[in-house]
Amino acid sequence: MTAPLLEVRNLRVHFPAGGGWVHRPRGVVRAVDGVSLSLEEGEILALVGESGCGKTTLGRAILGLVAPTSGAILFEGSEVTDLAPAERRGYHRHVQMIFQDPFDSLNPRKTVLQTLAQPLRNHGLVPAREQRAAAAELLDHVGLSPGRAFLDRYPHQFSGGQRQRICIARALAVRPRIIVADEAVSALDISIRAQILKLLRKLQEEFQLSYLFITHDLGVVRSLCDRVAVMYLGRMVEEGATDSIFTLPRHPYTSALLAASPMVDPEAARRRTHIPLAGDVPSAMRPPPGCRFHPRCPIAATICREAEPPLLAFEGGRRSACHFAAEAPSWTLAAVAKREDVA
Ligand code: SF4
């Protein structure tokens, strides 16, 4: 059996909290706390959850921007977690990132040509005399055409959507295998958002890319992603094919996220049977005992406060960390009925 393109095994990323330079840390923030997942060749995997669930930290750990506390990251079956900086260079070429804010992620003092030539130069991919043509070609690929007409401009001369296209071109410059897109369209206007999503899909086919798509926008997930991994308070709580997760969530948190996502059709919104999400995410310094979601879960039982649920496997590669996952959707309907009684 071939290894997944990317695999994360039991990864933990903990940060000391408070204390500054003089005092001892007041505790440990468990931003990522034992997460395992895999990304196959050509796949688009969504990583979803509320702010503070650890999805961005996980993405940054995969990119090597933060050091894992423990666990392993494997690329094509080989561990990259403990590689020396020189050895990591090859891995970093294969895994690139698109950031949320196209305004902050481009150097305002550099022309587009300088921005795109830098990764080509850093990785020794294109001789200096050919970098202008290579950069123009990259711009053509991302829909800024003809590319040569944009090379000598500065970021402030572009709209938000055009800047994000330049950021995508920069990520593509080194011909990566994986792109980690962290809320890559959430800062854009809705019409531009659709264009960028269409572009990402086109580039996936042209360049045989795999995406790890970090987002809180379930509309984007449904339209773009093959699989979904749901995180809550540093842990993975549910994973599976997108259609299957949207049709039958097996974790109350996933159900609650679906309930909170906006729907255009008010009639369809009224008919949906997902449970509501109440309260705030607890502190990642002091996660609740047992199931971390239990203080907010409308169907929590005694066992939920006492024992952490394992990530149980279900049909079609589904996994869910809920003691009552096998009983879905009956608990969904019961929770909705209870909500309507109260109303
Ligand atoms: Fe809710 Fe219990 Fe399932 Fe956690 S294990 S999600 S508290 S029902």
Side-chain angles (χ1 to χ4, degrees), residues 4-13 32-39 57-64 66-83 88 91 212 236:
L5 183 59
L6 181 80
E7 194 178 356
V8 170
R9 287 189 191 157
N10 201 20
L11 200 77
R12 289 187 161 78
V13 184
V32 177
D33 206 15
V35 170
S36 299
L37 58 77
S38 62
L39 177 69
T57 305
L58 177 57
R60 293 175 72 84
I62 288 169
L63 283 151
V66 293
T69 307
S70 64
I73 299 169
L74 294 90
F75 180 73
E76 292 186 314
S78 301
E79 187 162 349
V80 295
T81 331
D82 297 324
L83 291 179
R88 289 185 73 105
Y91 168 68
L212 180 61
M236 173 89 75

Side-chain angles (χ1 to χ4, degrees), residues 237 250-253 290-301 303-305 307-309 320-325 331:
V237 295
R250 287 195 178 275
H251 195 285
Y253 179 60
C291 172
R292 295 180 180 199
F293 187 56
H294 87 251
R296 303 172 76 193
C297 181
I299 59 161
I303 187 176
C304 306
R305 289 179 270 278
E308 184 161 7
S320 174
C322 172
H323 291 301
F324 302 104
W331 45 252

Side-chain angles (χ1 to χ4, degrees), residues 238 248-252 299 310 312-315 318-331:
E238 181 150 30
L248 176 58
R250 287 195 178 275
H251 195 285
I299 59 161
L312 300 169
F314 292 90
E315 72 293 335
R318 291 282 302 271
R319 296 193 298 164
S320 174
C322 172
H323 291 301
F324 302 104
E327 292 165 33
S330 61
W331 45 252

Side-chain angles (χ1 to χ4, degrees), residues 122-142:
N122 289 351
H123 288 273
L125 297 175
V126 178
R129 65 180 180 285
E130 293 171 23
Q131 284 172 6
R132 192 174 178 88
E137 194 184 330
L138 283 167
L139 292 177
D140 286 332
H141 276 298
V142 298

Side-chain angles (χ1 to χ4, degrees), residues 9-252:
R9 287 189 191 157
N10 201 20
L11 200 77
R12 289 187 161 78
V13 184
H14 295 177
F15 301 108
W21 294 101
V22 182
H23 303 291
R24 290 173 50 182
R26 282 186 291 111
V28 172
V29 176
R30 298 163 189 276
V32 177
D33 206 15
V35 170
S36 299
L37 58 77
S38 62
L39 177 69
E40 301 293 338
E41 184 101 50
E43 186 178 45
I44 306 182
L45 173 65
L47 202 52
V48 304
E50 292 166 285
S51 298
C53 70
K55 56 189 191 302
T56 291
T57 305
L58 177 57
R60 293 175 72 84
I62 288 169
L63 283 151
L65 300 177
V66 293
T69 307
S70 64
I73 299 169
L74 294 90
F75 180 73
E76 292 186 314
S78 301
E79 187 162 349
V80 295
T81 331
D82 297 324
L83 291 179
E87 294 169 312
R88 289 185 73 105
R89 205 174 158 78
Y91 168 68
H92 284 151
R93 185 190 149 192
H94 291 304
V95 187
Q96 292 290 308
M97 184 156 197
I98 305 170
F99 295 93
Q100 174 177 4
D101 191 339
F103 293 87
D104 275 354
S105 49
L106 292 173
N107 186 335
R109 294 169 195 270
K110 285 189 175 176
T111 63
V112 174
L113 174 60
Q114 289 168 326
T115 297
L116 297 182
Q118 187 170 357
L120 298 174
R121 197 169 46 245
N122 289 351
H123 288 273
L125 297 175
V126 178
R129 65 180 180 285
E130 293 171 23
Q131 284 172 6
R132 192 174 178 88
E137 194 184 330
L138 283 167
L139 292 177
D140 286 332
H141 276 298
V142 298
L144 290 175
S145 193
R148 62 181 181 283
F150 299 92
L151 288 174
D152 299 311
R153 298 192 196 171
Y154 288 87
H156 74 269
Q157 295 174 286
F158 294 92
S159 67
Q162 288 175 321
R163 287 186 202 206
Q164 197 58 306
R165 286 174 193 268
I166 296 167
C167 294
I168 294 169
R170 180 177 56 187
L172 285 178
V174 293
R175 296 291 190 267
R177 307 275 302 281
I178 298 170
I179 288 186
V180 178
D182 188 0
E183 303 284 6
V185 294
S186 56
L188 303 175
D189 290 344
I190 195 96
S191 57
I192 307 296
R193 200 177 292 187
Q195 292 171 18
I196 298 293
L197 290 174
K198 200 168 156 196
L199 172 66
L200 290 171
R201 178 62 91 180
K202 177 184 89 92
L203 294 173
Q204 185 209 13
E205 286 162 18
E206 277 178 31
F207 291 84
Q208 285 91 48
L209 292 166
S210 304
Y211 293 123
L212 180 61
F213 213 85
I214 300 169
T215 183
H216 65 273
D217 186 336
L218 295 181
V220 168
V221 173
R222 188 151 211 181
S223 67
L224 186 75
C225 301
D226 305 309
R227 247 176 356 111
V228 188
V230 184
M231 284 186 71
Y232 184 76
L233 214 53
R235 309 280 282 188
M236 173 89 75
V237 295
E238 181 150 30
E239 185 188 356
T242 303
D243 281 349
S244 147
I245 293 259
F246 275 74
T247 308
L248 176 58
R250 287 195 178 275
H251 195 285

